[in-house]
Structure formats: structure tokens, C-alpha cells
Amino acid sequence: MLDIYIVLRWLCKAIVSSLFGDVNIINPENVPLYGSVIFVGNHNNQFIDACVLVASIPRQIKFIVAEKSMKRPVIGELARLAGCISVKRPEDLKFKGIGRIYWNTGDTKIKGINTRFKLDVQIGDKLMTQNKMFSVTKIESEIELILQNPININCEDKVNGVPFKIVPKINQTEVYNLVTHSLKNGDPIGIFPEGGSHDRTNLLPLKPGVAIMTLCALADGIEDVSIIPVGLSYSKLYQLQGCVTIFVGNAIIASQDLCNDYNNNNRETISKLLAKIEEGMRSCMLTSKNHETSRCIELCVSLYTPERMTISKNKIYNILQLFSEMFWKFGNSKEIENLCYELQCYEKLLQANKIKDDEVWMLKQSTSAATLKFIEHICSLIFCIIFGMTFSLLWLPLVAISVYLAENHRKMSLKNSLVKIQGGDVVASYKVLVLLVLLPTFNIIYGLLFSLYFYKSWLQRIAFTICSICILPICYYININYSVQIPTLLRQMKILLKVICGIINVWRDNERELISTRHELQLKVRNTVSKLGHKVSDNFLEQLHRNIPKFVINADTKRLIRGKDEWVPILKRSQLEYREEIL
């Protein structure tokens, strides 16, 4: 099994390196190489989450995988080979209830019309209606049952009733036994406690299963279990090569003392352990209220950092976490609301000028510097075209088909889910599944076609086809690595061309406005951090200055203040200086 896992790990590494141009692991030393370990991670990218962990963590992880996924053609076979543990999810077994139901708001009693509750529903099951779920505690008759908590939503149709679905309660004892057996053998477990994948910017409520399986393992004699939270953060998922950051958090040690508490009060112990796990997971993640806020946080970090400053990925991630904390605490304050509005306006300005925030500095270069940079970009572009487009006619159809099918799958997943916002969490996973099937198929076709054209001997044709299957994926990988750089080079060359032509300094008010706006926002972001930082936590500013020294920020702020009016648009300068500008 270990030999097979090594092959699967190699496959996962190949997938991750193909999907992501930048893979960054923070705190890899927090991964214990021995002992009973449960890895818990956020679930924002379906099968890719597990793939990233397999490629990044140097241990054979047995993931808890939904039975529904285990039945899928490609992923199911790979999961079985990896020794994953199958689990039945109640959501996957839900079925439409017969009849219709209605209720009074604030009541715990559900009444049915032509229902058969005694036959279809059991105590512990959940009723799903109007996108809400309610636990059943008592079945009084075929048309009446009692819920655990009062219903806090209005019934849409009390006369004819509303349709409902039944989510059955499942006994997971077998799964817990398999997990305990694996932990006893020293095999780490991987689980995503949120349940299903989603594309939200915050954690979904955690399922208690991870806490229960930990306590069951302790009750079976395991001395202690280390729960390792792992935060997975993705960016540029819709591009050919995105970025992924794996943040390995500090271990949560579950010892025999917890088991004793579980014997005395199981519900309270499960809740406490689950709260610790959630806290640990949040400490590893970048969370926010929504995607717009996430983008504002990213822009804030980019603006707070001095222009063109080289800073490690680890430090950037730490700063993002600090800013995320500030936005959570003061998200409703006027300062943050005004800042977000200005950041959104600035982002629209960037989009209108087809430029990224970290490229604005290029507009301020001298003509000679821009010329040298332009020549350098031309050389890089030629190089990337040669090495990035040689086999493009072969791999572009693969990419186009995978993107098309992934988009259809995204729409379908979005339609069937209550937690997805845009369905972006399934796109990358489905692309990979499609390519795992299409890649060898297309390579065989290409090999046969070329061999039939160039060779007459069947032996030569077979040999050429086998070589095509082995070599073409490597060629595709090299091609894609270089081709993804072409759009960036072209965009930057356009910027440099404006500088070389000398049309920014005098006439181009759009670019001058962009530079001026960025200067103002940099100052505003830093002022906001200085004002609110000490209110976020006592050591907020101290942690921030560990990543970017305070004297560096102060020096850059003075530079910004001195050159504040240098790039103000000419047509506005007279208003600022109360005099007419003579050109």
C-alpha cells in the first residue's frame, strides 16, 4: 500500500505543480512525523484540497471521503488506492417526503398534509424545507411530529403546505472504528470538518465527527491524539496557474484527561473540543465577511507595503491575517467602510487602465529605464513564445474542453448547493478530473496520427505512440509554465510603451490620477492601521512591525508625503494649489 501511495503522491505533486505556479508552505516544522495525528483543513477546493495536502505533507494520510465521491469513476479509484475511509453523509441520502407540511412560527410542532411520518421519519432525522433543516425529537402521528428547536421562519403556504425533504440520521460507528484502527497503526487521518466544499470566505459550522472520532480513539486506549489545523488559501484559480498557500498551525493535543471528561459529559466535551479545533483552524486561515472584503484586505496589504519592497510569502500571509483580524473587528466602523469604498473605486480605476496595483510604479519610471525594461520584456516575450507556444495547438484543445466542462459542472453544483456562492470551489477539481481522462486519450490519438503519417512499420508506430504518451505531458507542462507569462509581459510592455513615448508626464491624466490615488490610499491605509491597530489587540502593531519594520514604513511614509502633489493630474493641480498651472 505504501508503494502505491508513493506513486499517488507523485501524481498529486504533478497535478499541484501543473495547477499552481506558486506553492508556499508555512510552518512545515509543525507536521509531526510520528504518532497519532488528525489533519483538519478548510474545504474550499473540493478534491484539490486533499491533493495539495498529499503533495505537501510527508506522511501517508487516510482521508475521510464521502461515499458519494468514492463512487465517482476516477476519484473513487484513486481514493481507494490511497486507503481513504468512506463515510456516508446524511445530505447525500436525503429524499423527498410524501405530502406537504406547515407550521406556526415559533412552534416546535410540524403538521402534515397527506404525510406518513411514522413510516418515513425516525427520531434523530432532519426535515429540510425552505432551505433550512430541523431535527426531529418525537413522532406523534402520521401527520404530526415535534422538533428539537422552535421554527424561526414563516411557512410560505399554511393552507396547502410546503414540500419537504428528509435527511436521515446515520450511525457512523463503523467509520469511528476504522479511524481508531488507523490511528493505532500510526496512520494519520485527514478530514475537512466543514463537510462539503464551498467557496465562501469564512468557515462553515464544523461537523462534530472530528471531535467524536478523536474521543473514540482516546477511549480505545490511544494515549494522545495530535490535531493539526491546516489552512489552505488559493488565488488565481481561474487562470492556468494559480497560487496556493498551506499554513500548518500549532497542534491541538487531545489527551486522556479529555476522555475522562467525555465519560462524564459527552456533549459538553465534544463542544469544547470542536471549539478548540475551530479556533485552531481560524488561526491558519484568511477569513473575511465576503469576497469584496477579501479583495479590500489584499489591496490594503499591497498598499501598506512600501512600493517594490521584496517581502517573503510567509510575511505577506502573516500581514494578511493581521489585516483580516482588523477588518473583522472594525468592519462596521466608518473608517473601514470609507476605506473599503475608496479601495473599490481604486480597483475600478485599475481595471479601467488594465493594470495591477503592483505595476503602478512602472508608470513613474524614466524614459531610459523604461526603454531598457521594454527591451528586456521583448527578449522575455520571444523566449516565452518559443518555449510556451510550440505545442499550444496540441494542449489548447485540452484546456478548452476542460474549462467548458468545468463551467457546466460549476453551474450544476451551484444549483444543487445551499452554501456555494459562485461554485468556484469545484472548477479546478473538475478540470483535473477531466484532464486525467482526456490527457492520455488525446496523447494516444496524437501519437497514432503522427506515427501513421511519418512511419510505415507498425512496430515504429507503436514505439512512437508510447513515446508520445510519455513525452507530450512534459512538453505541455513546460509550455504552460512559459505561456502563462505572456499576458503579463504584454500588459507590462503596454505600460512601458506609454512611458517611453513620454505621454504620461504631460498629457495622460488617467495614469497621473492612478499614481496620485495610490499615493493617497497608501497614506490612508497606514493612518488607519496606526489609529485602529492598538485597538485590535495589544500586540497587533508589534506583530505587524515584525514583518515590516516600523522605520521602513515611517521612511516610506515621509517619501509619500514629500511627493504627494508630484503626480496630481495637471487639470486638478490648479484647484489644489489655488493657482493656475502654466504648461
Side-chain angles (χ1 to χ4, degrees):
M1 182 64 73
L2 184 60
D3 294 338
I4 296 174
Y5 190 84
I6 291 171
V7 175
L8 290 174
R9 191 167 184 232
W10 175 84
L11 176 63
C12 288
K13 284 186 174 182
I15 290 170
V16 170
S17 60
S18 300
L19 271 181
F20 304 104
D22 185 10
V23 180
N24 186 40
I25 305 174
I26 301 175
N27 302 330
E29 67 278 3
N30 284 347
V31 177
L33 299 180
Y34 305 98
S36 302
V37 179
I38 298 177
F39 292 98
V40 292
N42 56 305
H43 206 10
N44 288 119
N45 212 348
Q46 215 175 31
F47 307 121
I48 298 299
D49 291 333
C51 193
V52 167
L53 291 182
V54 170
S56 307
I57 294 175
R59 291 191 67 175
Q60 182 176 348
I61 306 173
K62 290 187 175 181
F63 284 96
I64 308 296
V65 180
E67 186 180 57
K68 182 181 178 181
S69 298
M70 294 288 278
K71 292 178 180 178
R72 298 184 70 163
V74 178
I75 200 69
E77 291 299 326
L78 293 175
R80 275 187 284 274
L81 288 172
C84 294
I85 298 171
S86 175
V87 60
K88 292 180 180 178
R89 294 189 304 186
E91 295 84 359
D92 296 333
L93 301 176
K94 65 186 176 189
F95 58 93
K96 187 177 181 180
I98 293 176
R100 299 169 80 87
I101 59 173
Y102 65 95
W103 62 88
N104 295 320
T105 306
D107 198 359
T108 58
K109 183 179 287 187
I110 289 276
K111 294 183 179 180
I113 301 172
N114 298 325
T115 53
R116 50 180 197 181
F117 289 150
K118 286 190 174 181
L119 182 63
D120 293 340
V121 185
Q122 295 182 2
I123 294 173
D125 289 353
K126 293 182 179 180
L127 292 189
M128 182 177 177
T129 182
Q130 296 181 192
N131 295 333
K132 297 286 184 180
M133 286 200 292
F134 307 96
S135 297
V136 177
T137 57
K138 186 178 180 182
I139 302 166
E140 294 193 336
S141 67
E142 294 285 8
I143 58 171
E144 283 189 5
L145 52 77
I146 306 297
L147 302 179
Q148 184 177 3
N149 298 311
I151 306 176
N152 54 5
I153 58 173
N154 296 323
C155 181
E156 293 176 353
D157 188 351
K158 289 187 178 181
V159 178
N160 300 314
V162 294
F164 67 100
K165 291 182 179 179
I166 300 167
V167 182
K169 182 182 179 181
I170 298 173
N171 188 344
Q172 304 287 13
T173 303
E174 184 181 351
V175 175
Y176 299 145
N177 290 337
L178 289 172
V179 169
T180 300
H181 179 72
S182 297
L183 291 173
K184 276 187 172 181
N185 290 339
D187 296 328
I189 297 294
I191 185 171
F192 302 103
E194 295 170 282
S197 68
H198 62 94
D199 56 348
R200 293 176 179 267
T201 56
N202 198 7
L203 273 176
L204 293 177
L206 303 188
K207 309 290 184 185
V210 62
I212 296 171
M213 63 179 61
T214 302
L215 293 164
C216 286
L218 292 171
D220 206 67
I222 295 178
E223 189 174 345
D224 54 51
V225 177
S226 300
I227 302 170
I228 309 295
V230 181
L232 300 172
S233 177
Y234 301 93
S235 61
K236 304 177 185 177
L237 270 177
Y238 290 95
Q239 297 181 14
L240 278 177
Q241 283 202 317
C243 304
V244 59
T245 301
I246 305 107
F247 189 105
V248 184
N250 296 321
I252 301 164
I253 307 298
S255 61
Q256 284 295 326
D257 294 337
L258 202 62
C259 186
N260 297 331
D261 296 338
Y262 179 66
N263 293 330
N264 297 327
N265 191 334
N266 56 2
R267 284 185 178 273
E268 186 179 346
T269 307
I270 290 170
S271 298
K272 284 182 179 179
L273 181 56
L274 204 61
K276 283 185 180 180
I277 293 170
E278 182 176 349
E279 184 183 354
M281 290 178 68
R282 288 188 183 279
S283 69
C284 302
M285 294 171 55
L286 300 175
T287 60
S288 63
K289 291 181 179 179
N290 48 51
H291 287 282
E292 290 76 17
T293 306
S294 291
R295 181 56 189 150
C296 286
I297 292 171
E298 290 171 5
L299 270 176
C300 273
V301 172
S302 180
L303 292 165
Y304 182 82
T305 307
E307 200 172 77
R308 301 176 65 187
M309 180 179 181
T310 303
I311 183 168
S312 68
K313 298 285 184 181
N314 292 18
K315 289 187 176 181
I316 290 174
Y317 196 86
N318 291 336
I319 298 169
L320 282 167
Q321 285 185 312
L322 291 170
F323 273 76
S324 174
E325 188 180 349
M326 183 177 73
F327 271 71
W328 272 114
K329 192 159 188 177
F330 296 102
N332 296 324
S333 65
K334 287 185 178 180
E335 290 91 342
I336 296 296
E337 286 181 353
N338 292 336
L339 180 61
C340 285
Y341 175 75
E342 291 186 32
L343 288 169
Q344 288 167 359
C345 292
Y346 172 62
E347 187 169 28
K348 289 178 182 176
L349 195 61
L350 289 172
Q351 291 170 354
N353 286 273
K354 296 179 181 178
I355 188 172
K356 294 188 176 181
D357 177 64
D358 58 359
E359 295 171 344
V360 174
W361 69 270
M362 298 177 74
L363 295 168
K364 299 188 289 184
Q365 292 182 99
S366 64
T367 305
S368 57
T371 303
L372 290 173
K373 197 75 175 175
F374 187 78
I375 294 169
E376 181 186 330
H377 274 48
I378 288 176
C379 296
S380 299
L381 182 63
I382 294 169
F383 191 79
C384 287
I385 288 172
I386 293 170
F387 287 93
M389 304 303 290
T390 313
F391 294 91
S392 59
L393 291 176
L394 299 182
W395 58 261
L396 277 175
L398 287 168
V399 174
I401 293 170
S402 65
V403 168
Y404 174 76
L405 293 176
E407 179 61 19
N408 288 342
H409 185 65
R410 181 192 71 82
K411 291 176 181 177
M412 189 184 301
S413 299
L414 188 61
K415 185 179 179 181
N416 297 329
S417 175
L418 299 177
V419 297
K420 300 183 193 297
I421 298 174
Q422 297 174 337
D425 56 305
V426 303
V427 173
S429 296
Y430 202 75
K431 281 182 188 176
V432 170
L433 293 178
V434 171
L435 289 173
L436 284 175
V437 176
L438 288 183
L439 188 63
T441 305
F442 270 64
N443 287 344
I444 291 170
I445 293 170
Y446 291 148
L448 287 173
L449 289 174
F450 285 118
S451 64
L452 288 171
Y453 183 80
F454 288 108
Y455 300 102
K456 294 182 179 180
S457 167
W458 278 105
L459 187 62
Q460 289 178 320
R461 288 172 178 174
I462 293 170
F464 184 85
T465 303
I466 293 171
C467 289
S468 298
I469 295 169
C470 298
I471 295 172
L472 281 178
I474 300 171
C475 296
Y476 298 160
Y477 176 74
I478 295 170
N479 260 209
I480 290 172
N481 276 344
Y482 284 101
S483 63
V484 293
Q485 300 176 40
I486 293 174
T488 302
L489 288 170
L490 290 173
R491 185 179 63 251
Q492 292 182 357
M493 285 173 68
K494 184 180 177 181
I495 298 167
L496 293 168
L497 197 60
K498 291 178 181 178
V499 179
I500 293 167
C501 293
I503 54 178
I504 290 177
N505 293 337
V506 180
W507 301 112
R508 297 289 293 191
D509 270 8
N510 285 343
E511 283 77 10
R512 295 176 71 89
E513 183 184 1
L514 195 58
I515 297 168
S516 177
T517 303
R518 192 178 196 278
H519 279 196
E520 291 173 5
L521 276 174
Q522 279 187 286
L523 292 171
K524 184 159 188 175
V525 167
R526 291 174 188 178
N527 288 335
T528 304
V529 170
S530 299
K531 184 178 179 181
L532 300 178
H534 66 280
K535 297 179 183 178
V536 177
S537 64
D538 294 336
N539 60 348
F540 178 88
L541 292 174
E542 182 184 344
Q543 289 179 327
L544 190 60
H545 293 147
R546 282 178 195 163
N547 296 287
I548 303 178
K550 186 177 180 180
F551 74 89
V552 174
I553 294 294
N554 290 341
D556 191 64
T557 302
K558 290 176 183 177
R559 176 189 67 83
L560 290 172
I561 293 170
R562 284 196 303 268
K564 188 176 180 181
D565 298 333
E566 182 182 352
W567 293 96
V568 173
I570 293 170
L571 296 177
K572 294 182 181 179
R573 190 173 292 182
S574 59
Q575 299 173 8
L576 294 172
E577 298 180 356
Y578 298 99
R579 62 183 176 83
E580 185 176 357
E581 179 75 13
I582 300 174
L583 297 177

